[in-house]
Amino acid sequence: MASKTGNAFDFDLFKRLLKYTNPYKVTFYFVAVAAILLSFFAVLRPYLLKVTVDDAITPQNYDNLVFYVGLMAGVLVLEVIFQFLFVYFANWLGQEVVRDLRVNLFKHMLNFKMTYFDKSAVGRLVTRAVSDIETIASIFSQGLFMIISDILKMLVVIGFMFYQSWQLTLLVLTVLPLIMYATRVFQKKMKVAFEEVRTQVANLNTFVQERITGMKIVQLFTREKEEYKNFKEINDKHRNAWVKTVWYNSIFFPIAEMATSITIGLIVWFGGLRAVADDGITLGVIIAFIELSQLLFRPLRQIADKFNTLQMGMVAANRVFGILDTDSSISNVGKIEVKDLKGEIEFKNVRFSYTDDEEVLKGVSFKANAGETIAIVGATGAGKSTVINLLNRFYEIDSGQILVDGIDIKDITLESLRSEIAVVLQNVFLFADTILANINLSNPDISEEDVINAAKQIGIHDFINTLPNAYHYNVKERGAMLSSGQRQLISFLRAYMSNPSILILDEATSSVDTYSELLIQEATDKITKGRTSIVIAHRLATIKKADKIMVMDAGEIVEIGTHSELLQKKDGYYKNLYEVQFMAEESL
């Protein structure tokens, strides 16, 4: 969605946002009615004050004074009640809208291709999903209805002023264009300023999130001073963006206050002359006009302030809808629900590129029979991990076909396809939760007893029991409380619990200690038994046991066969790879 930064207001965007109030129409209309009533209450008070001065205080009528004071007290009570209801339900409506909007946004992001996340900063997405959406709530709590109430109040005030004295009204209105012009300029400048503020907030969040996540790298490479300097620069930009909004406020509000003071002086001067000359203007009218002018100008000044709030909400909405309008989801039009697959996998002339004109897979074709273990080897960047990413449909292929049990994976529903595939990655991601929650992923169908039994079957129950609180041990963010080998073991158990038809191990035994490797190897033997497995190979033992080894180089399959068959190929790619990378390990 294009941002209309130069415009004071984007009505198309606003109408789109209002659609989220449809489930809460009763509340919406109630708040609107309360806003109308508040505008009439506001005028009623100055009128009663005028009557009290002219009909009670000036003629010294005690009974009238008591009556009008009581009447003003009653009006004040009603105004307070409606003000409470107005503020409460306006805020309630805003929170309901942002709750629904945040759910829609998160649901939308859950279905994005991995390409989107590869290219998008995590901090920026967090800003959109959290602080930007919260800012949208202010449109309803402090922006929209408050502005409507203030505009209605101004219209009613002007009408009543004309009814009381057209001369004094025209006098007041001569100052009004100055404030309106200043307000208009203020709105436009603040729209641009708030765009910059939101941009700098997102940049700041992104920077902080990345540096905190990568703090180990920062400290290992002694980058503290440089990162501190970079943070100060970004923080200064954030500060400067806010200072610009402060500058505009500092100019506008003194101008508005000066105009108000001038108006009061004109009312007292002109009204006083007419009152002394007994020309139809009473002391009560002068007092009422002083308060009415405040009621006229104060909402106008507040409208500018509330319009700022509205603008901030609209800027945030523009950014959030920008993500909602992003068409980066994997096509999920398949109708076939699969369960308990045999596990036959076939790639037919598959071509794929992460970016245009840079093919990563160049016509890859292979077949894995049900129950086979296929190892994929090759140098970094050969396309090994891409194969498993495409099998899970994290990305869309450019051309070719991928079949599972003879069915094109595009014809299978995403949920059922991925439920049949389990992946153990080299870099294991664990949530800041207990080991149990990281294994069953809070699935109510998987009990703690099921997890314990599964852990015993693949030989890692004893390891988990050595941890404090065992299965209820909190591993903290990203599993920071566990070693890489321990995280791998948890990942193996998580994959095993899903009872997949197809298992993928992406260099799952790399960068682990010898003890963990032995446990992982034992778990691998158990978990791969009776199911199709694709192993991106790193350790020699895994490669030797594979039914088939596929050697990749620069996005192509250059060799395929068993371990012994490939070693017999003279000057073969695998033989050279074996001699260079694995002979030393075998000798150990």
Side-chain angles (χ1 to χ4, degrees), residues 260 263-264 267-268 284-295:
T260 303
T263 304
I264 293 174
I267 290 172
V268 173
V285 171
I286 294 174
I287 293 174
F289 259 80
I290 291 173
E291 187 168 349
L292 287 167
S293 66
Q294 297 297 303
L295 288 174

Side-chain angles (χ1 to χ4, degrees), residues 77-261:
V77 169
L78 286 175
E79 188 175 3
V80 168
I81 292 172
F82 274 95
Q83 187 72 37
F84 163 75
L85 294 173
F86 172 74
V87 172
Y88 176 82
F89 284 106
N91 279 274
W92 181 90
L93 181 64
Q95 290 303 318
E96 292 297 310
V97 168
V98 298
R99 180 196 62 185
D100 296 345
L101 189 56
R102 186 178 282 122
V103 167
N104 286 347
L105 180 67
F106 189 71
K107 180 181 179 181
H108 189 62
M109 289 196 297
L110 282 175
N111 296 309
F112 277 167
K113 302 175 186 176
M114 288 298 110
T115 306
Y116 182 86
F117 297 106
D118 293 341
K119 297 178 180 178
S120 301
V122 174
R124 194 175 298 274
L125 293 178
V126 170
T127 300
R128 300 291 176 267
V130 181
S131 61
D132 276 348
I133 285 189
E134 197 59 43
T135 304
I136 293 173
S138 63
I139 291 178
F140 300 95
S141 61
Q142 303 172 40
L144 172 66
F145 293 113
M146 293 290 188
I147 291 173
I148 291 174
S149 178
D150 286 343
I151 291 174
L152 286 173
K153 190 180 296 182
M154 290 170 62
L155 292 174
V156 173
V157 165
I158 291 173
F160 181 72
M161 288 170 72
F162 267 112
Y163 173 74
Q164 289 296 312
S165 171
W166 65 269
Q167 299 104 320
L168 284 178
T169 303
L170 291 177
L171 192 66
V172 171
L173 294 181
T174 56
V175 185
L176 192 62
L178 173 63
I179 298 181
M180 293 183 68
Y181 175 75
T183 302
R184 178 66 174 170
V185 173
F186 181 63
Q187 290 168 358
K188 286 187 175 183
K189 295 293 184 181
M190 290 300 285
K191 174 68 185 298
V192 178
F194 280 128
E195 280 277 10
E196 179 65 16
V197 166
R198 299 312 304 169
T199 298
Q200 295 306 327
V201 166
N203 290 340
L204 191 63
N205 285 348
T206 300
F207 184 89
V208 172
Q209 188 271 335
E210 288 181 347
R211 269 55 184 186
I212 290 176
T213 303
M215 189 58 71
K216 185 180 291 185
I217 300 298
V218 172
Q219 295 182 357
L220 280 173
F221 289 89
T222 62
R223 294 283 302 172
E224 292 92 340
K225 290 183 179 178
E226 288 78 6
E227 296 302 339
Y228 173 70
K229 181 181 176 182
N230 293 336
F231 176 79
K232 284 187 68 177
E233 290 178 359
I234 294 175
N235 197 39
D236 283 343
K237 290 180 181 178
H238 177 256
R239 167 194 166 277
N240 292 339
W242 271 110
V243 166
K244 191 177 290 185
T245 67
V246 174
W247 167 254
Y248 292 139
N249 277 289
S250 300
I251 295 174
F252 172 75
F253 287 104
I255 291 175
E257 282 296 329
M258 181 182 67
T260 303
S261 299

